[in-house]
Amino acid sequence: MLDKSSRRAYLVATTKYKEVGHGELRGWLLVANCYTKETQLLQDSNYIKHFMRNLVLGVGLTPVKDTLVVATFPIPEAKNQVGVSATIILVESHAGIHTWPELEYARIELSSCAHVKKEDFESIIKAFFVPYKLEVEAFEWD
């Protein structure tokens, strides 16, 4: 069950969705392949948590209270390194990140029934991870 703030956000998101002429469910999926030399950031669960909150708020979406989950896992091939996975449930759908520091790589996905600007998604990733290579694809789903 949604808390009062999340219920209000859900009603706002649903109203916005209907106002732009959507009579049926449609949405967008943004997928980023991010390569960075900043591998210490890819292992920092607190940094990843901070990134996820800023990502969803920065593109104008609404997190559902207490749904951000972050986990670390050891990398057998790379001593003293951990990967990080995080997900967050949104009123509009969900977002996730998985990191592979030994490959200097993170994959970030954002699914939303509200339109998200690809440029905003990219700029937040660039600000947090300073990638030397960033590939972003956007897909519309229905």
Side-chain angles (χ1 to χ4, degrees):
M1 183 169 191
L2 296 175
D3 61 39
K4 186 176 180 179
S5 174
S6 295
R7 278 195 308 274
R8 187 174 327 116
Y10 174 79
L11 292 172
V12 169
T14 303
T15 301
K16 284 182 189 176
Y17 183 77
K18 289 178 181 174
E19 285 174 357
V20 295
H22 299 301
E24 56 191 60
L25 185 60
R26 290 180 37 202
W28 292 264
L29 173 65
L30 296 170
V31 178
N33 294 308
C34 176
Y35 299 87
T36 181
K37 296 289 185 187
E38 304 296 328
T39 58
Q40 74 282 1
L41 301 178
L42 300 179
Q43 300 181 73
D44 185 334
S45 59
N46 287 324
Y47 190 81
I48 297 297
K49 184 183 286 189
H50 181 65
F51 164 72
M52 291 294 288
R53 284 190 186 118
N54 280 272
L55 176 67
V56 299
L57 295 172
V59 298
L61 300 179
T62 311
V64 175
K65 184 179 178 185
D66 299 327
T67 62
L68 176 58
V69 177
V70 180
T72 60
F73 51 92
I75 302 167
E77 303 82 25
K79 280 191 170 193
N80 301 317
Q81 284 191 330
V82 296
V84 179
S85 292
T87 59
I88 187 167
I89 305 301
L90 308 171
V91 168
E92 302 84 358
S93 195
H94 64 279
I97 183 172
H98 305 284
T99 72
W100 290 265
E102 76 280 17
L103 302 175
E104 301 178 344
Y105 174 72
R107 180 174 177 94
I108 302 126
E109 298 181 10
L110 176 66
S111 181
S112 174
C113 62
H115 182 69
V116 173
K117 292 180 183 175
K118 181 180 172 184
E119 299 79 22
D120 293 345
F121 181 71
E122 288 176 345
S123 68
I124 294 167
I125 294 168
K126 287 177 181 177
F128 272 82
F129 295 109
V130 193
Y132 61 84
K133 181 178 178 183
L134 180 62
E135 304 164 338
V136 177
E137 293 185 79
F139 306 94
E140 188 172 352
W141 53 264
D142 55 4

